[in-house]
Amino acid sequence: MTTYAYPITLYEYTFNELEMFLKELCEEWEKEGHLVYDPVTRRPVGTFATILEIMKEAKQSAPTNEESFTQILSFTLTDYLFIPLQNLLKEKCQMYKDKTGNDPFNSITGEPQFSFATMLEATRLAIKSASLNSWSSFGDNEPVIKLWSPKRT
């Protein structure tokens, strides 16, 4: 099996909005009785809780730039986390279109006109810059996992 790494880059205000949305989603699921965090360790168990943890680490390790008014934050997801996030954002964009009658993307320029459309556009760009993360094969009936890294010159 092959996995890919998808680097997602967002402006800080969009990053914060995605973070807040995922927190609300996780809280809603916990209220419904779904296991999102391990009750003992409070480590994430659910997909979106795991993405939140990755985003939290990215925010803490992001360099600060006092000269710029807007900070750009990046985090990387594997396909197991990336695909559910992309599907969720597609769903939110469709809900926006159904509710308002407006396309979340400008019909002429294709530019996002809605916060979730901006997030979805970031996932589309991440697909273009995805890189091979790892692959596995079986040898003597045992899985063999190999990590890939670019050759350094």
Side-chain angles (χ1 to χ4, degrees), residues 128-146:
K128 292 179 183 178
S129 58
S131 61
L132 185 62
N133 187 41
S134 66
W135 73 92
S136 62
S137 59
F138 285 86
D140 298 329
N141 296 325
E142 301 256 343
V144 178
I145 297 177
K146 302 174 184 177

Side-chain angles (χ1 to χ4, degrees), residues 4-85:
Y4 290 88
Y6 299 90
I8 299 173
T9 303
L10 298 167
Y11 285 110
E12 184 178 27
Y13 56 87
T14 309
F15 183 97
N16 291 340
E17 190 169 349
L18 176 60
E19 186 178 38
M20 191 170 33
F21 169 67
L22 291 176
K23 282 180 184 175
E24 289 171 0
L25 183 65
C26 287
E27 288 170 2
E28 182 181 315
W29 285 359
E30 278 188 321
K31 287 178 186 173
E32 292 176 4
H34 301 285
L35 189 62
V36 177
Y37 291 96
D38 183 286
V40 177
T41 64
R42 292 302 297 162
R43 296 289 305 154
V45 176
T47 301
F48 299 117
T50 303
I51 294 172
L52 273 172
E53 286 297 311
I54 292 168
M55 291 177 72
K56 186 169 134 184
E57 290 174 16
K59 197 176 210 178
Q60 290 172 348
S61 63
T64 55
N65 185 358
E66 286 85 29
E67 296 175 11
S68 176
F69 290 111
T70 57
Q71 185 175 359
I72 296 175
L73 298 164
S74 296
F75 59 100
T76 302
L77 301 176
T78 59
D79 9 22
Y80 301 106
L81 298 172
F82 178 81
I83 293 168
L85 177 63

Side-chain angles (χ1 to χ4, degrees), residues 84-135:
L85 177 63
Q86 185 183 39
N87 289 339
L88 178 67
L89 294 173
K90 285 179 183 177
E91 185 180 299
K92 290 300 285 182
C93 286
Q94 187 60 49
M95 288 170 56
Y96 172 81
K97 186 174 183 176
D98 294 344
K99 184 178 178 183
T100 65
N102 297 325
D103 195 327
F105 293 93
N106 184 304
S107 59
I108 297 169
T109 65
E111 291 290 318
Q113 303 182 120
F114 169 61
S115 59
F116 289 107
T118 302
M119 296 169 202
L120 183 58
E121 182 65 20
T123 64
R124 290 178 181 166
L125 294 172
I127 291 171
K128 292 179 183 178
S129 58
S131 61
L132 185 62
N133 187 41
S134 66
W135 73 92

